[in-house]
Amino acid sequence: MSINLIILAAGQGSRMNSDRPKVLHEIGGAPLLVHAMKSGASLEPEKTVVVAGVGAELVEAAALEWNDEITTVRQDEQNGTGHAVLCAKDAMAGAEGDALVLYGDTPFISPETLAAMQAARTYADVVVLGFDVADPTARYGRLVTTGEALDKIVEFKDATETERAIPLCNSGVICADSATLFSLLDDVTNDNASGEYYLTDIVGLARDRGLSAAVVKCDEAETLGINTRMELANAEAAFQSRARAALQDDGVTLVAPETVHLAHDTVIGRDSLIEQNVVFGPGVSIENGVRIRAFSHLEGCHVSSGATVGPFARLRPGAELAEDTRVGNFVEIKNAQVAKGAKVNHLTYIGDADIGARSNIGAGTITCNYDGYFKHRTVIGEDVFVGSNTMLVAPITVGDNAMTGSGSVVTEDIPADTLALGRAKQTNKTGLAKRLKDKLRAAKAAVKKDLKKDK
Ligand code: UD1
Ligand code: CA
């Protein structure tokens, strides 16, 4: 049975107090919407439709950036969750099989839970994801059941006191045959406390037609929706602790786990060790047996086995470190390949560059890659020794086995096996330092004497 996703992401999210659409606020460096899309993608859907409304252009761009094969549709006025799903009707025309509705602001539904819902469709026409609520005053829709059967969903606003006392709540995730879902939605009205078209009404309507409805339960933590900045921060904390635990299970040592910040897609290999206060932005993959030392910041980079990074290193997008490389303190690397065994140990900027195997980049080296208009490349061969404080003015090529003298400003290519010196020649003035100091000392003493006289 094939499955299709409809992801609702048109709502305002006014309690975020933000110019940014709610579903684009991030957890682990990815928008909430992308988290929802990722969990839905675990079902390998035929088709995914994202319903955008408030901030639609931004929402659509973010959705398509993550997966350009999805379809986006607009809900220009937010008339309720049922109306939002109906906006996907045309886009879903011809999509065979089931439709699963997810919310763009509910990032943590697990693949296992979605699989359980799909499985429940073998015995129920409509499957709703429910959870037992910890706070009985929470304003979720309540699931009214008779034994195993789900009779209807009542919104909190419309519920009686008895119904509000039901602990079983609606997560919002619903699955049904696509044609059945849209046919039921055609019968939904907005005759309720909010004047909205409720998706939740399809359960009662389905039962009226003699169809069956069932509940699959999950943990409340999975259905956590984000409405406020506080909830966003709590969700981030929950995400971080799960992501850290997953890495630890996979054989990664986190010396002080609570100080390591991970992204939604961070990959770290077995027997790697991450020291205190390391931040991973999106797009980082670390192989086995790597050590990332304290206070490093990494994003969009790859680090191979046996490498050591930091402390206080910054790897920016496009940094590729090969096996057994060393990147030390106060080093920034961007869009650059560092080949096997090369070392960049102190106070250095490497941008738009290739560094050959076993080369050693001295302290304070800078690849001057930007002329204010264009970026240029620095290519350094194998076994090169770049002296401390060398400015490599790109575009520039340094041949294998070459060297640069400390403090050189290198503006011309250096052939292989060549030492380049590009700095002012030193001259020594014998005795001049002493004469200068005597003169200055005498001048200072005269000033002090004058001051005493004035008193
Ligand atoms: C909804 C459910 C409620 C459930 C709760 C779980 C309905 C009627 N109610 O209520 O039973 O307990 O979620 O969190 O479905 N959206 C649109 N267009 C709209 C309205 C909403 O795209 O016109 C999107 C929102 O962006 C959001 C999601 O649908 O992602 C849920 O909308 P929201 O207004 O938060 O629903 P609740 O009132 O919380
Ligand atoms: Ca909500």
Side-chain angles (χ1 to χ4, degrees):
M1 172 70 80
S2 64
I3 194 154
N4 305 277
L5 301 179
I6 300 171
I7 304 182
L8 305 189
Q12 163 92 61
S14 50
R15 286 201 286 149
M16 291 299 279
N17 190 11
S18 174
D19 289 337
R20 205 201 286 200
K22 175 165 78 172
V23 294
L24 297 189
H25 284 267
E26 295 183 351
I27 289 179
L32 299 177
L33 175 61
V34 167
H35 286 269
M37 289 171 75
K38 272 175 89 168
S39 67
S42 66
L43 295 174
E44 298 179 2
E46 289 285 314
K47 185 160 204 152
T48 297
V49 181
V50 171
V51 182
V54 173
E57 271 145 46
L58 295 172
V59 170
E60 288 162 358
L64 290 164
E65 188 189 322
W66 190 69
N67 180 355
D68 61 9
E69 286 173 3
I70 61 130
T71 306
T72 62
V73 298
R74 293 271 174 111
Q75 183 195 26
D76 292 323
E77 271 177 71
Q78 282 66 62
N79 294 328
T81 48
H83 177 252
V85 174
L86 268 177
C87 292
K89 188 175 180 175
D90 290 346
M92 288 283 288
E96 298 282 311
D98 280 2
L100 176 85
V101 179
L102 293 172
Y103 290 171
D105 65 352
T106 306
F108 294 148
I109 312 270
S110 72
E112 294 72 22
T113 294
L114 294 182
M117 289 189 70
Q118 201 176 16
R121 277 278 297 117
T122 56
Y123 59 85
D125 296 306
V126 177
V127 178
V128 172
L129 183 63
F131 62 98
D132 287 317
V133 74
D135 170 9
T137 66
R139 302 177 65 82
Y140 292 109
R142 296 303 201 265
L143 303 185
V144 180
T145 53
T146 306
E148 292 291 291
L150 175 61
D151 301 327
K152 63 174 179 175
I153 306 178
V154 262
E155 285 309 296
F156 189 85
K157 272 191 188 169
D158 303 290
T160 62
E161 280 308 310
T162 326
E163 287 165 340
R164 286 181 179 184
I166 298 173
L168 186 59
C169 287
N170 175 31
S171 71
V173 185
I174 286 189
C175 187
D177 168 72
S178 180
T180 308
L181 173 73
F182 287 110
S183 143
L184 290 165
L185 279 171
D186 282 337
D187 289 351
V188 169
T189 68
N190 64 351
D191 180 16
N192 53 52
S194 309
E196 289 186 354
Y197 295 85
Y198 292 161
L199 171 62
T200 45
D201 281 355
I202 67 162
V203 172
L205 292 167
R207 295 302 307 275
D208 291 346
R209 289 191 196 175
L211 299 173
S212 60
V215 184
V216 165
K217 279 218 255 181
C218 72
D219 209 63
E220 187 172 0
E222 278 188 50
T223 69
L224 196 74
I226 282 120
N227 301 296
T228 64
R229 304 270 181 172
M230 197 81 89
E231 286 171 4
L232 182 69
N234 291 339
E236 177 79 55
F239 165 81
Q240 291 297 334
S241 63
R242 276 199 300 271
R244 291 176 196 127
L247 283 180
Q248 289 170 308
D249 282 347
D250 289 347
V252 177
T253 296
L254 304 178
V255 176
E258 63 287 356
T259 69
V260 173
H261 193 97
L262 301 163
H264 68 111
D265 59 354
T266 305
V267 175
I268 305 181
R270 200 159 166 265
D271 287 324
S272 283
L273 183 150
I274 315 298
E275 293 185 358
Q276 296 86 341
N277 295 292
V278 175
V279 175
F280 293 90
V284 177
S285 59
I286 307 276
E287 292 183 6
N288 295 353
V290 168
R291 188 176 186 111
I292 309 290
R293 306 205 54 201
F295 295 97
S296 294
H297 190 285
L298 297 83
E299 58 189 318
C301 62
H302 176 79
V303 181
S304 306
S305 287
T308 300
V309 174
F312 299 99
R314 179 166 185 210
L315 301 184
R316 290 174 52 205
E320 287 273 344
L321 308 191
E323 289 78 16
D324 306 322
T325 45
R326 293 276 176 282
V327 170
N329 42 273
F330 308 108
V331 170
E332 173 178 344
I333 299 192
K334 181 216 78 170
N335 188 28
Q337 327 273 329
V338 181
K340 190 172 168 154
K343 293 180 182 150
V344 190
N345 270 333
H346 334 265
L347 302 162
T348 290
Y349 173 65
I350 299 293
D352 304 305
D354 296 288
I355 297 176
R358 299 171 303 281
S359 286
N360 189 331
I361 309 299
T365 297
I366 289 175
T367 55
C368 310
N369 59 329
Y370 188 46
D371 56 20
Y373 297 90
F374 298 99
K375 300 278 172 68
H376 302 283
R377 223 165 163 85
T378 299
V379 179
I380 297 174
E382 298 185 346
D383 300 295
V384 169
F385 184 89
V386 174
S388 297
N389 201 35
T390 297
M391 302 293 117
L392 296 157
V393 183
I396 200 104
T397 299
V398 180
D400 292 347
N401 285 300
M403 299 176 84
T404 72
S406 300
S408 290
V409 178
V410 177
T411 55
E412 281 167 37
D413 289 353
I414 308 173
D417 303 312
T418 301
L419 168 66
L421 293 170
R423 62 190 187 200
K425 193 165 166 55
Q426 180 175 329
T427 51
N428 285 352
K429 308 282 187 190
T430 311
L432 183 56
K434 182 170 185 312
R435 292 206 301 281
L436 199 55
K437 279 185 160 184
D438 289 347
K439 203 171 144 185
L440 291 168
R441 202 179 297 120
K444 183 130 188 184
V447 171
K448 275 191 181 161
K449 214 169 156 191
D450 280 354
L451 280 174
K452 249 188 197 164
K453 241 197 281 169
D454 288 350
K455 270 191 188 166

